[in-house]
Amino acid sequence: MMALKRRVNFNIDRLRLCYRQPQQLFTDVTSCDNDTEIDCGDFRLKIVDNGRTDDDEQQPTNATAQIRYRDGDKDVTFGILELNNSAKYRGKCFLSLDQPALYDCQGRDVCTGEKYNHLCYLPYITSTLGLVLNNITLLEIAADTNVNPVPTIRRMVHDHPNYDMILRGKKVADANRKIGGYYETYGRSRERQDRYPTLNFRSEKDPEYPKLRIYNKTREILESSGKKYEAAWNEYGNHAVFRAEIELRNESYRQWLSHIAPIKPEWGCLEDAEHLLLSEEYRTAIWLYWTRRMLYFRPKGRRKEVIDLADIISGEAC
């Protein structure tokens, strides 16, 4: 097997957005029968649940539809649209993109050569439906690499005589005390245990704080998920892929916007997020911002030198 140059791909693995919805859209969807479709021109809304009950006097409070369209000879599910008219979410809807749509190549940018997927249709679809972005409810950015970062991270965690460990902005001062919010989980069969664990980082006090997970993605695909479209997107061939994925919620994304707006104003506007998320440079910047706040190491006696997760997954920290 030929050696593969070390590289990292920054992909969106999961995306859920909250929009302000027009009342007419809710009325149209709840007026249709289940399993029927609304023709929106270049795409369709397939009614999964119109929210109606046997009680004709009870008005629907929610409804669900699939966004679907033809792509060549196949029918694509772009995502699931959940509309609401309840007291809690009145006037709001949620759009969760279908994961295979985030890994299906639709072409390459003529200027950068960067691949793009079905996410490129998001602005057109939401504009056609009259949706206005309210917030990003869930954003998961995965950094996929052909370098296994798990042994290096575990070595630096253990090697406290030579490295300081900075977790969520605070130095882990007591080497004998349990590290809060850091977990190693192993998969196993009855015969054997995995050689390397999955590394998990999160805040035990704040459930909204970003979560970081680092693991062998190739093993996960082979043993459980079967998501071969992820491997095809990365184009690593038969080489093993390792993933460092960060999960952000609304407040974490808004913190990123507040940070970047004075530095790069064109990146600091929520209303532009649908377009910005298409850029790998933008996704990479978000991933770097949060992972550097969650975890890094510093060699003892060299306070200005920092080894962050980007150094480790690129193979620059050995």
Side-chain angles (χ1 to χ4, degrees):
M1 184 166 57
M2 293 180 62
L4 181 67
K5 183 180 179 181
R6 292 173 176 174
R7 59 186 175 91
V8 183
N9 294 329
F10 292 87
N11 312 309
I12 293 179
D13 189 60
R14 289 196 297 163
L15 181 61
R16 178 176 168 86
L17 308 106
C18 175
Y19 292 89
R20 296 190 292 277
Q21 71 189 23
Q23 180 60 38
Q24 187 60 47
L25 178 60
F26 182 83
T27 302
D28 291 344
V29 171
T30 56
S31 298
C32 293
D33 293 332
N34 290 340
D35 294 323
T36 60
E37 295 184 343
I38 299 175
D39 188 350
C40 300
D42 292 319
F43 63 94
R44 314 177 315 273
L45 293 181
K46 181 177 181 180
I47 313 305
V48 177
D49 182 0
N50 60 20
R52 300 203 305 266
T53 65
D54 294 334
D55 185 356
D56 293 335
E57 295 183 1
Q58 185 175 344
Q59 296 298 313
T61 57
N62 54 70
T64 304
Q66 285 184 334
I67 300 174
R68 302 181 65 86
Y69 48 79
R70 297 295 297 177
D71 178 26
D73 59 354
K74 62 184 178 181
D75 206 39
V76 172
T77 299
F78 178 77
I80 297 292
L81 185 64
E82 302 167 62
L83 301 113
N84 294 280
N85 199 34
S86 63
K88 183 176 182 180
Y89 293 118
R90 180 171 287 116
K92 302 283 197 313
C93 66
F94 297 90
L95 173 56
S96 300
L97 269 72
D98 198 51
Q99 197 175 47
L102 295 169
Y103 289 92
D104 185 9
C105 182
Q106 292 295 286
R108 292 184 181 271
D109 187 286
V110 293
C111 296
T112 65
E114 184 179 327
K115 287 196 299 185
Y116 55 87
N117 52 45
H118 290 267
L119 185 61
C120 66
Y121 305 128
L122 178 63
Y124 169 74
I125 290 172
T126 56
S127 175
T128 301
L129 294 174
L131 306 181
V132 178
L133 186 61
N134 186 63
N135 66 58
I136 293 182
T137 307
L138 172 66
L139 171 62
E140 192 172 278
I141 300 176
D144 289 341
T145 175
N146 56 327
V147 175
N148 186 357
V150 173
T152 301
I153 294 171
R154 298 183 75 215
R155 175 175 59 81
M156 289 184 173
V157 169
H158 180 70
D159 191 6
H160 54 87
N162 293 308
Y163 294 96
D164 288 330
M165 178 182 181
I166 315 300
L167 189 64
R168 297 188 299 280
K170 295 183 179 180
K171 178 182 174 182
V172 180
D174 189 343
N176 294 305
R177 186 176 180 179
K178 178 182 175 182
I179 304 172
Y182 170 52
Y183 304 92
E184 298 184 355
T185 56
Y186 287 85
R188 66 163 302 128
S189 66
R190 295 183 68 179
E191 286 289 338
R192 65 181 182 85
Q193 177 178 279
D194 289 339
R195 181 180 180 186
Y196 294 115
T198 294
L199 309 184
N200 301 275
F201 298 86
R202 66 175 185 264
S203 170
E204 294 181 319
K205 297 179 180 179
D206 183 1
E208 296 299 310
Y209 193 83
K211 297 178 179 64
L212 174 63
R213 190 161 73 111
I214 305 165
Y215 61 102
N216 185 325
K217 184 63 183 177
T218 296
R219 186 180 66 201
E220 189 253 3
I221 292 172
L222 293 174
E223 296 180 357
S224 58
S225 73
K227 298 175 181 177
K228 295 183 179 179
Y229 51 79
E230 295 184 1
W233 172 266
N234 278 319
E235 298 180 316
Y236 283 129
N238 294 325
H239 295 264
V241 175
F242 303 90
R243 173 167 289 188
E245 64 188 21
I246 187 164
E247 178 188 301
L248 307 178
R249 301 285 174 169
N250 176 33
E251 289 305 317
S252 299
Y253 182 73
R254 289 185 181 274
Q255 182 174 328
W256 150 257
L257 291 177
S258 298
H259 159 77
I260 200 65
I263 303 168
K264 200 165 185 176
E266 64 272 25
W267 279 9
C269 184
L270 174 65
E271 288 74 15
D272 295 330
E274 290 181 334
H275 296 277
L276 291 169
L277 288 171
L278 296 172
S279 165
E280 186 169 18
E281 181 185 6
Y282 183 77
R283 300 191 297 267
T284 303
I286 297 173
W287 188 92
L288 289 171
Y289 172 80
W290 272 111
T291 56
R292 285 169 175 167
R293 277 151 183 77
M294 296 183 72
L295 174 70
Y296 65 87
F297 299 92
R298 193 165 50 209
K300 296 278 190 179
R302 290 180 280 174
R303 294 186 56 84
K304 293 184 178 181
E305 183 177 342
V306 169
I307 301 171
D308 61 19
L309 190 54
D311 298 320
I312 296 171
I313 67 171
S314 63
E316 294 180 12
C318 300

